[in-house]
Amino acid sequence: MFTGEEVALVTGASRGIGKAVALDLASYGVKVMVHYHSKEEEALQVADQIERAGGTAKIFQANVADEAAVQRMCREIKKEYGRLDILVNNAGITKDGFVTMMSAAKWQDVIDTNLKGTFFCTREALKIMHRQKRGAIINVASTSGVVGQPGQLNYSASKGGLIAFTKGLAREVAPQGIRANVVAPGFTETDMTRQMEPDVLKKYLEMVPLGRIGKPEEIAYMVSFLASSKAAYITGKVFIVDGGLVTV
Ligand code: NAP
């Protein structure tokens, strides 16, 4: 599934889904670059947990929407490890509001972090992957990007854009032996859903056929599979992990 030589960059790995992805990849012997934005202590704890289990991890700080910061991070990874085999574009934010009330700033922040950030990280990672003639990119979208979600059109647009970006990317980089896929989680137990009104979340969860919220690890298992050699013939696809909520 993994050779034990792979180096992975997981963005937004300080907590939530990214943390679960970092820990799961590390459990297969993948060296994990634990990226964070503001929560250094949490990122250090993730790296420490990986190293105490016998793995290799290092933390990297960057605002993914900052081109120069992303370039610096990828240069450091290349300098230190000389390779990058797996990129998980997971960092993401919500800034919800109904469209008539949405400020330009809320719109832009979400597009910049979720979509432009993914573009920057992907472009810099590809500079390393191209020379290796191999690589796997997994972009974490959302069911909101598949079906659209009232009250978060900025987020839905960013995640829908991410899906189209990944489909195009998969075709563009396939000749270089690089694969790109999307994992689209439904409601997952992280800080992102903890900030929702409990009554609203409860209402949504009642619509989930499996009858509960997802665990971050349940998203991570799909990401690790797509990053692995077991998914060698899969590219340009969207995998929804949502307890059966969305039917497409
Ligand atoms: P979370 O717990 O809120 O964590 C967000 C992560 O993104 C943190 O590691 C944070 O870093 C990082 N981040 C935020 N803004 C950033 C920026 N400008 N630059 C770099 N990193 C930044 O979120 P989560 O629920 O785990 O979500 C992870 C991904 O899954 C997101 O893309 C989200 O859209 C997607 N998703 C989540 C759900 C859900 O129900 N939770 C559902 C569908 C899709 P710091 O900790 O350092 O601030």
Side-chain angles (χ1 to χ4, degrees):
M1 196 162 170
F2 295 98
T3 62
E5 296 300 315
E6 293 90 348
V7 174
L9 168 60
V10 183
T11 68
S14 47
R15 51 201 166 99
I17 292 170
K19 174 181 176 178
V21 169
L23 295 175
D24 196 56
L25 284 172
S27 76
Y28 294 103
V30 174
K31 298 177 184 68
V32 182
M33 308 300 107
V34 177
H35 159 271
Y36 70 100
H37 181 219
S38 57
K39 302 215 180 301
E40 182 175 13
E41 192 50 44
E42 281 85 341
L44 278 168
Q45 282 171 19
V46 175
D48 187 53
Q49 194 173 335
I50 290 172
E51 298 217 308
R52 274 189 285 115
T56 302
K58 191 171 162 72
I59 66 163
F60 289 89
Q61 193 280 335
N63 175 356
V64 291
D66 178 340
E67 184 173 21
V70 171
Q71 285 173 330
R72 199 164 45 241
M73 171 171 70
C74 291
R75 267 200 309 270
E76 278 175 38
I77 293 171
K78 186 174 166 236
K79 197 167 149 210
E80 191 138 342
Y81 295 90
R83 61 190 290 169
L84 184 61
D85 306 280
I86 299 160
L87 169 66
V88 183
N89 283 306
N90 164 79
I93 56 168
T94 51
K95 290 199 176 178
D96 294 353
F98 288 107
V99 68
T100 49
M101 313 276 279
M102 184 165 292
S103 66
K106 269 190 174 182
W107 172 269
Q108 203 58 50
D109 284 354
V110 170
I111 298 290
D112 281 355
T113 303
N114 299 1
L115 193 52
K116 195 162 83 173
T118 296
F119 157 58
F120 287 152
C121 292
T122 301
R123 189 185 62 190
E124 297 313 306
L126 283 174
K127 290 178 184 167
I128 309 173
M129 289 176 176
H130 270 156
R131 279 198 326 278
Q132 297 170 182
K133 293 248 172 237
R134 67 178 292 238
I137 298 172
I138 297 94
N139 292 333
V140 180
S142 166
T143 48
S144 299
V146 178
V147 292
Q149 182 69 14
Q152 49 173 207
L153 301 194
N154 50 355
Y155 184 74
S156 300
S158 73
K159 296 300 189 177
L162 198 56
I163 290 170
F165 173 83
T166 312
K167 288 181 178 177
L169 175 69
R171 296 163 74 102
E172 195 168 306
V173 298
Q176 282 86 44
I178 300 164
R179 297 180 296 105
N181 288 290
V182 169
V183 173
F187 295 100
T188 310
E189 198 170 22
T190 70
D191 291 345
M192 193 173 272
T193 42
R194 278 179 214 114
Q195 75 189 11
M196 290 175 72
E197 287 292 331
D199 285 355
V200 174
L201 179 61
K202 189 167 170 275
K203 241 181 66 196
Y204 280 124
L205 293 180
E206 282 165 5
M207 294 190 275
V208 176
L210 286 180
R212 65 173 174 83
I213 195 164
K215 301 186 183 95
E217 301 76 36
E218 292 169 324
I219 311 302
Y221 300 150
M222 177 60 87
V223 173
S224 291
F225 166 70
L226 291 170
S228 79
S229 60
K230 290 199 172 174
Y233 197 52
I234 302 174
T235 197
K237 297 295 179 286
V238 180
F239 297 86
I240 299 173
V241 184
D242 68 348
L245 179 64
V246 162
T247 45
V248 281

